[in-house]
Amino acid sequence: MEKLAAVKGMNDIMPPESARWEWFEEKVRDLMGRYAYRNMRTPIIEPTALFVRGLGEVTDIVEKEMYSFDDRLNGEQLTLRPEATAGVVRAVVEHSMLYEGGKRLYYMGPMFRHERPQRGRYRQFHQVGAEALGFSGAEIDAELILLADNLWRSLGLKNVRLEINSLGQPNERKAHREALIAYFEHHVDLLDEDARRRLYSNPLRILDSKNITMKLIVESAPRLIDFLGEESRAHLSKVQNILDANNIVWTLNPRLVRGMDYYNLTVFEFITDQLGSQGTICGGGRYDYLIEQIGGKPAPAVGWALGVERVLELLKEQEQVIPAPAPDAYAVVQIAADLPRVMNILQQLRERGVCVQMHTPANSIDGMGSIKNQFKKADASGACYALIFGSDELLRQCVGVKSLRDSKAAQIEKPLEAIAEWASTLQSNC
Ligand code: ATP
Ligand code: MG
């Protein structure tokens, strides 16, 4: 029969690779807890209107990257989430969560965008995101940046730089928009097809173009930062002061605009030069108008999202060693008839926290296989100890314990009726 393959741009995450993911997720959970950000989970499918309204109609995501479909049963227009902020906001509004004050939240999970698959760019990819809703002060923008920076350090990630910018407020953007249109009209010959199409609908988006032939014209375009009023400038410098006080190095990138329309004031990206053209590992900013746009009572908010695949790829690039999971002990079993009893003993060990892998032949009716072969498997499992359940040992109500890592250590015996007394000695990290 013809073999079926995964959808293009969507990856299976299998062992041993999945251990890196679990390690990473554990670090994230731990760190989010230290900043008192609480986990939330929203559906992977949302009404299409949520993204059209939330992200903006004239954005790469909404124009060409969404997996949208009609529900066959009731005709509802649905979309596989391309990002999670809109869903978080929808849920927070739906559950009136800002009623008793601001909320610090985080999520992790798969996102879907129909992009051209390449290194660091997939059609199903994963994000971790942190969102602080209901707070307007610059200190929370800075807290989120500090949190991300701390995450890089706890992962052992190096060579990540921080770029920041301010997108100001809508009225400031309006003045800039006019200047931008005038400027691009003047250079219309140099614009690519996308840019021409967006010239009047969303000229700011042109600054986010990935087309390198437009680099020059984009670089000399009017800068939004020059159109900012006093309040917007003060907000940005407050963020910068807090970063400085925390020795976080940043650069101001006046062309940083981000891919969604919902941002205002602070925007930022963490970028590396070690992943080729997919160098942005994390991006975020303030989105004070999104909650209202999605139908909630107006409230400020700020957040970021990181790309898990890119972060893990960068860790690999930097040859960061991530502990591979291994059992504490590997159970070598001489005869299959002893399995019921042996499995009961292993069960007791696991209840006491010991990680034990049992030797399992493809078909135990043919026997357990030679002890030599079992020891080979035990060694390959990475376990510290072999537990030897020979018929002799079992007759004497004992199990043999042999270190797999210290060849000089002699095999010893432990009494089965006193598991509680020695189980924990198997948990030494070797
Ligand atoms: P890019 O400019 O690389 O397309 P973006 O601005 O579209 O990124 P965001 O929507 O801000 O990205 O998402 C936050 C992060 O998610 C990105 O910085 C990146 O690390 C990751 N990311 C975005 N799209 C993809 C993708 N298709 N595959 C893998 N990771 C992605
Ligand atoms: Mg993109």
Side-chain angles (χ1 to χ4, degrees):
M1 202 153 353
E2 198 191 328
K3 272 194 192 148
L4 292 168
V7 175
K8 188 176 170 199
M10 305 201 179
N11 300 309
D12 300 312
I13 301 156
M14 322 273 277
E17 185 62 21
S18 53
R20 298 167 60 83
W21 284 69
E22 289 193 306
W23 172 86
F24 169 79
E25 287 160 4
E26 207 39 58
K27 294 271 182 198
V28 168
R29 281 196 193 96
D30 175 57
L31 201 71
M32 292 293 179
R34 278 193 255 164
Y35 287 76
Y37 281 64
R38 303 297 172 221
N39 183 245
M40 81 178 276
R41 298 156 196 235
T42 57
I44 281 167
I45 299 176
E46 294 277 2
T48 301
L50 175 68
F51 303 113
V52 176
R53 241 207 272 170
L55 276 53
E57 222 151 333
V58 192
T59 54
D60 276 348
I61 295 182
V62 172
E63 279 186 333
K64 48 192 179 200
E65 297 174 359
M66 293 207 300
Y67 282 92
S68 298
F69 57 97
D70 293 339
D71 185 323
R72 266 194 300 155
L73 300 177
N74 59 12
E76 262 185 290
Q77 297 191 317
L78 304 174
T79 292
L80 292 179
R81 64 180 186 195
E83 58 97 63
T85 301
V88 166
V89 168
R90 184 213 31 82
V92 162
V93 169
E94 200 167 325
H95 300 278
S96 310
M97 275 183 77
L98 298 183
Y99 188 69
E100 28 29 89
K103 285 276 178 296
R104 291 171 161 91
L105 303 165
Y106 82 94
Y107 59 81
M108 32 184 151
M111 309 295 157
F112 303 84
R113 297 184 193 177
H114 197 103
E115 301 198 73
R116 192 170 67 78
Q118 53 196 291
R119 184 185 188 198
R121 197 175 287 292
Y122 310 101
R123 290 181 175 173
Q124 173 171 335
F125 64 100
H126 297 75
Q127 287 185 338
V128 166
E131 318 275 7
L133 301 100
F135 308 102
S136 63
E139 62 280 358
I140 198 84
D141 308 24
E143 177 180 277
L144 276 156
I145 295 174
L146 295 179
L147 165 54
D149 180 77
N150 202 343
L151 181 60
W152 312 144
R153 273 179 288 127
S154 79
L155 295 170
L157 212 56
K158 298 180 289 276
N159 303 332
V160 180
R161 65 169 194 278
L162 169 64
E163 292 188 354
I164 57 179
N165 190 21
S166 174
L167 296 183
Q169 298 291 13
N171 60 326
E172 294 155 351
R173 271 193 3 213
K174 221 166 129 200
H176 171 250
R177 181 192 150 96
E178 278 155 27
L180 209 53
I181 292 176
Y183 169 82
F184 284 131
E185 273 176 340
H186 201 72
H187 296 95
V188 76
D189 297 347
L190 301 172
L191 298 183
D192 65 10
E193 199 189 317
D194 256 0
R196 279 185 209 184
R197 195 165 36 81
R198 288 171 175 180
L199 180 52
Y200 301 103
S201 56
N202 201 343
L204 197 65
R205 260 309 52 81
I206 301 176
L207 301 182
D208 194 35
S209 170
K210 303 262 179 339
N211 186 346
I212 38 170
T213 62
M214 296 215 320
K215 203 174 154 79
L216 216 63
I217 175 173
V218 161
E219 268 174 15
S220 7
R223 307 179 336 157
L224 177 47
I225 199 137
D226 299 326
F227 288 76
L228 298 189
E230 210 173 303
E231 264 183 50
S232 295
R233 281 208 304 271
H235 189 97
L236 181 62
S237 50
K238 268 190 209 158
V239 175
Q240 291 167 336
N241 281 341
I242 299 172
L243 297 180
D244 289 343
N246 284 278
N247 299 318
I248 305 238
V249 180
W250 50 269
T251 53
L252 184 74
N253 175 0
R255 277 167 300 279
L256 181 67
V257 297
R258 312 274 311 119
M260 291 70 133
D261 280 355
Y262 53 58
Y263 290 111
N264 69 303
L265 290 174
T266 321
V267 288
F268 54 88
E269 285 188 355
F270 287 93
I271 305 167
T272 170
D273 296 323
Q274 286 181 275
L275 290 179
S277 50
Q278 269 59 253
T280 302
I281 59 166
C282 175
R286 197 158 258 293
Y287 52 94
D288 294 333
Y289 303 96
L290 182 62
I291 299 179
E292 188 178 7
Q293 210 161 314
I294 283 175
K297 206 166 127 246
V302 51
W304 56 246
L306 66 80
V308 180
E309 283 83 354
R310 290 189 196 175
V311 169
L312 291 178
E313 189 70 33
L314 185 57
L315 283 167
K316 215 176 246 175
E317 195 66 40
Q318 297 180 352
E319 290 169 20
Q320 167 78 325
V321 180
I322 289 160
D328 299 313
Y330 189 100
V332 169
V333 186
Q334 195 177 4
I335 51 174
D338 287 329
L339 281 174
R341 187 158 167 227
V342 169
M343 287 175 80
N344 179 261
I345 297 161
L346 300 187
Q347 194 77 341
Q348 294 175 50
L349 286 171
R350 291 172 183 136
E351 273 161 27
R352 291 183 163 79
V354 185
C355 305
V356 197
Q357 180 174 339
M358 180 175 76
H359 181 77
T360 312
N363 177 357
S364 59
I365 292 176
D366 298 334
M368 297 298 287
S370 74
I371 296 290
K372 192 171 161 219
N373 179 46
Q374 292 198 39
F375 262 95
K376 244 192 223 158
K377 290 267 169 60
D379 196 39
S381 76
C384 294
Y385 298 100
L387 297 177
I388 302 133
F389 294 95
S391 359
D392 282 358
E393 281 90 351
L394 285 169
L395 259 178
R396 279 185 275 115
Q397 311 291 335
C398 281
V399 57
V401 179
K402 171 98 178 83
S403 170
L404 291 165
R405 307 296 150 206
D406 178 1
S407 54
K408 286 190 210 101
Q411 181 171 328
I412 52 169
E413 278 191 3
K414 296 283 190 189
L416 291 175
E417 89 281 17
I419 283 179
E421 282 159 37
W422 53 266
S424 65
T425 62
L426 299 175
Q427 288 174 284
S428 70
N429 284 323
C430 59

